[in-house]
Amino acid sequence: MTADLAALAYLASGVLFILALRGLSSPETSRRGNVLGMTGMALAVVVTLYLAGIRDGLTWGMIIAGVSIGGTIGAVIARRIPMTAMPQLVAAFHSLVGMAAVLVAASALYTPEAYGIGIVGSIKVSSLVEMSLGAAIGAVTFTGSVVAFTKLQGLVSGAPVVFPGQHPLNALLGIALVGLIVWLCASESHTAFWALAILAFVIGVLIIIPIGGADMPVVISMLNSYSGWAAAGIGFTLENTALIITGALVGSSGAILSYIMCKGMNRSFFSVILGGFGGETSAAAGGVQAETRPVKQGSAEDAAFILKNAGSVIIVPGYGMAVAQAQHALREMVDALKDNGVRIKYAIHPVAGRMPGHMNVLLAEANVPYDEVFELDDINSEFARTDVAFVIGANDVTNPAAKTDPTSPIYGMPVLDVEKAATVLFVKRSLASGYAGVDNELFFRDNTMMLFSDAKKMVEGIVKAI
Amino acid sequence: MEAAQIDPFVFRLSIFVLAIFVGYFVVWSVTPALHTPLMSVTNAISSVIVVGALLAVAVEFGADAGDDAAMISKLLGFFALVLASVNIVGGFLVTQRMLGMYKKKESKREDA
């Protein structure tokens, strides 16, 4: 009876999680959705504590200590983290889910009767399969996310690490992993379990190091997906519906985001995984083209004059804007322009920023109303009817070569049609190529004015001049 | 003739498969502007793995597995509990913080 009620409660928390994601269909409903998610989590925790029937003080002490330590760390991080660092934070959080999956799987192996999956030496084979899958995916998620974190945080170079024999080695390790799973399921050997975990840790590192900085949005989404599948694997082991539903939700969510990111870069998922992009390509594509060609340069005053006299302006922000911390200055500029009667919109490319939707958060943080911010598909036709396109910190996502030059590495990538605007203002430090290592012919066009400066300084200069 | 028993695993698998489809449709309906909060909230909810951590911490001594195994289990569970708690609290709070930033045009009386 109790077990049935508990199962229903877990189902209820699964439903609450679905509603939490559903709420994200619009900013108005999103906050309520998040509260529903918290409710679902609280329900799952309370039911579990009730089911566990804890009587001794040691256990309660450990639980209270664990939740307080973890909760405090989490709360402090959530409060302090700058929005530019969200990609790193999400990567770090994924690693925690992955590690927790490994630890829970290990615990289920050591004391199976506590989970109702048999006794030591005769754990159900199906449970062992689920457990080993959950642990393996969890371990890959853990080290993979740690590597992604160190790349995003700039602790190691974002350049892809490639070496000869990489793919055969990975394939070999993958086969070895399957072998260890079979050994574990046949023997319930603890040695097999730990060997499996260690091997999966190694695989996690190896599959992420070849992937370059430019592909990080895909990597984060992919690890998001992995953490979901790991949770689902553990959910099957624990026979827990809430965990199974959540794992499935998170798994498919991450997969969809990976797909969207790949499409935004016109890259196949497979080629991202194989890695190597953004390293040697820059050597191949850069350099040759004439960087001596003349460009029109302008000052902050020139830009202010053009902007003030425009009827409509579309702002194209990229990650460079966030790096320069220029989003607040940009909002001041926009406010000043609005006072001059200029209509302003923002155009966001799917892969602007370092993770899905990152640029939207950065603009929201700078108090840009979300109904002035548009996605590529919704705004691209408007450039032709716009007086000024103001590109700040973006490069590759505006490169017309993606539409016209089949030899370009970014050919086929959806880009913003900024060149169709009457005037293009391009805020950039130099003529250097972007992440993809491709020259942007937009710099040399007649209707383009380059504003060479740090994004924040330039925008502040424009504000003053207006 | 015995009534055919369906393995409970099949039920769980059904839930799993259906949930993947629910996830597929729900996530496609998420507005791209909220993809970052989507990632942080999926991260928070996947920490429902905390139920496994709690069960591990709650393992009792004196069971068949032996006290050593119980202690190992409790410790593993404790670490998992700390990690999951960081994620739950951090994930939901950072999501809430981000969602609080999304404002419509009307709210121009900002203190910024």
Side-chain angles (χ1 to χ4, degrees):
Chain A
M1 184 56 205
T2 330
D4 286 340
L5 275 180
L8 286 174
Y10 285 133
L11 180 64
S13 46
V15 171
L16 286 167
F17 292 152
I18 294 172
L19 293 175
L21 300 193
R22 183 77 188 102
L24 291 169
S25 55
S26 104
E28 285 107 85
T29 54
S30 61
R31 268 154 278 189
R32 201 190 51 197
N34 199 35
V35 173
L36 292 177
M38 294 184 201
T39 314
M41 185 63 72
L43 180 64
V45 169
V46 169
V47 170
T48 310
L49 287 175
Y50 177 72
L51 268 190
I54 302 159
R55 285 181 296 272
D56 60 310
L58 171 70
T59 304
W60 276 118
M62 287 173 84
I63 289 176
I64 291 167
V67 172
S68 325
I69 296 172
T72 311
I73 297 173
V76 171
I77 294 174
R79 200 171 296 258
R80 299 236 175 111
I81 192 86
M83 286 299 136
T84 38
M86 277 310 292
Q88 295 87 303
L89 180 71
V90 168
F93 277 175
H94 288 155
S95 75
L96 302 183
V97 176
M99 194 62 195
V102 177
L103 295 173
V104 171
S107 159
L109 181 69
Y110 278 87
T111 52
E113 65 266 61
Y115 299 87
I117 54 170
I119 54 166
V120 176
S122 58
I123 300 177
K124 285 185 282 181
V125 175
S126 62
S127 301
L128 284 170
V129 175
E130 295 150 6
M131 184 193 297
S132 51
L133 286 177
I137 303 172
V140 168
T141 310
F142 174 70
T143 47
S145 302
V146 169
V147 173
F149 171 83
T150 54
K151 283 194 177 195
L152 287 161
Q153 183 72 29
L155 299 176
V156 299
S157 147
V161 178
V162 282
F163 52 87
Q166 195 162 25
H167 300 313
L169 174 69
N170 287 351
L172 206 68
L173 292 179
I175 294 166
L177 189 70
V178 174
L180 283 173
I181 292 176
V182 173
W183 178 24
L184 174 64
C185 295
S187 68
E188 205 190 312
S189 148
H190 291 187
T191 319
F193 178 86
W194 291 114
L196 177 132
I198 291 169
L199 182 62
F201 281 140
V202 174
I203 292 177
V205 174
L206 288 175
I207 60 170
I208 303 299
I209 52 168
I211 306 180
D215 284 337
M216 276 301 143
V218 182
V219 171
I220 304 181
S221 314
M222 189 177 85
L223 291 166
N224 187 228
S225 184
Y226 286 0
S227 71
W229 303 130
I234 301 300
F236 276 104
T237 318
L238 306 186
E239 309 185 344
N240 183 304
T241 342
L243 204 38
I244 293 175
I245 294 178
T246 313
L249 290 177
V250 178
S252 48
S253 166
I256 290 174
L257 291 174
S258 313
Y259 169 80
I260 294 175
M261 290 299 107
C262 284
K263 228 179 89 197
M265 297 191 289
N266 189 39
R267 313 248 290 116
S268 77
F269 187 67
F270 200 58
S271 72
V272 171
I273 299 302
L274 289 180
F277 189 71
E280 66 283 272
T281 39
S282 60
V288 204
Q289 253 162 328
E291 263 155 34
T292 50
R293 275 193 286 169
V295 293
K296 246 201 297 191
Q297 281 195 42
S299 65
E301 287 73 27
D302 301 331
F305 180 77
I306 294 172
L307 286 167
K308 221 168 24 176
N309 291 303
S312 55
V313 173
I314 297 180
I315 295 173
V316 180
Y319 191 66
M321 177 202 74
V323 172
Q325 289 292 324
Q327 58 269 43
H328 295 275
L330 182 70
R331 235 255 330 190
E332 279 176 43
M333 184 187 95
V334 167
D335 285 347
L337 289 175
K338 277 186 193 161
D339 292 340
N340 278 293
V342 183
R343 273 171 294 122
I344 308 273
K345 284 180 178 174
Y346 296 82
I348 298 206
H349 190 273
V351 293
R354 285 286 167 277
M355 71 185 288
H358 193 198
M359 194 51 62
N360 302 76
V361 176
L362 294 170
L363 291 178
E365 189 192 19
N367 284 318
V368 172
Y370 61 82
D371 38 9
E372 287 178 7
V373 182
F374 296 88
E375 304 300 318
L376 179 132
D377 292 337
D378 300 325
I379 201 166
N380 230 359
S381 58
E382 283 190 38
F383 280 104
R385 285 178 273 122
T386 299
D387 298 326
V388 179
F390 187 79
V391 184
I392 174 164
N395 183 2
D396 294 332
V397 298
T398 63
N399 195 338
K403 288 176 286 190
T404 53
D405 178 8
T407 62
S408 169
I410 60 168
Y411 182 70
M413 179 171 107
V415 288
L416 291 156
D417 297 330
V418 291
E419 77 278 6
K420 290 189 182 149
T423 309
V424 182
L425 294 175
F426 222 113
V427 182
K428 214 170 168 309
R429 284 216 199 132
S430 66
L431 285 177
S433 56
Y435 252 96
V438 194
D439 270 342
N440 194 341
E441 55 143 328
L442 196 58
F443 301 161
F444 311 107
R445 294 219 174 177
D446 287 341
N447 64 341
T448 304
M449 181 189 273
M450 300 298 297
L451 307 168
F452 292 115
S453 166
D454 171 73
K456 192 176 179 185
K457 277 189 203 124
M458 176 54 70
V459 174
E460 283 168 351
I462 295 174
V463 173
K464 255 185 231 137
I466 297 174
Chain B
M1 191 181 132
E2 257 181 282
Q5 280 280 334
I6 298 177
D7 191 324
F9 170 79
V10 177
F11 284 118
R12 285 190 286 275
L13 188 67
S14 318
I15 293 174
F16 179 63
V17 172
L18 291 176
I20 290 177
F21 279 89
V22 171
Y24 179 85
F25 290 109
V26 169
V27 170
W28 272 117
S29 77
V30 171
T31 165
L34 293 177
H35 276 161
T36 298
L38 170 68
M39 293 195 90
S40 62
V41 85
T42 49
N43 193 260
I45 64 174
S46 58
S47 326
V48 73
I49 202 161
V50 73
V51 301
L54 288 170
L55 291 176
V57 176
V59 165
E60 288 178 357
F61 292 106
D64 289 348
D67 286 354
D68 286 348
M71 199 59 225
I72 291 173
S73 215
K74 272 176 133 41
L75 285 175
L76 292 170
F78 177 74
F79 287 119
L81 181 62
V82 173
L83 300 182
S85 303
V86 172
N87 235 347
I88 293 174
V89 176
F92 279 120
L93 285 185
V94 86
T95 308
Q96 197 74 359
R97 191 178 138 204
M98 272 191 276
L99 294 177
M101 294 171 182
Y102 284 80
K103 293 187 188 80
K104 272 194 121 150
K105 223 178 265 174
E106 287 85 72
S107 57
K108 261 205 93 177
R109 47 197 163 67
E110 265 319 314
D111 45 13

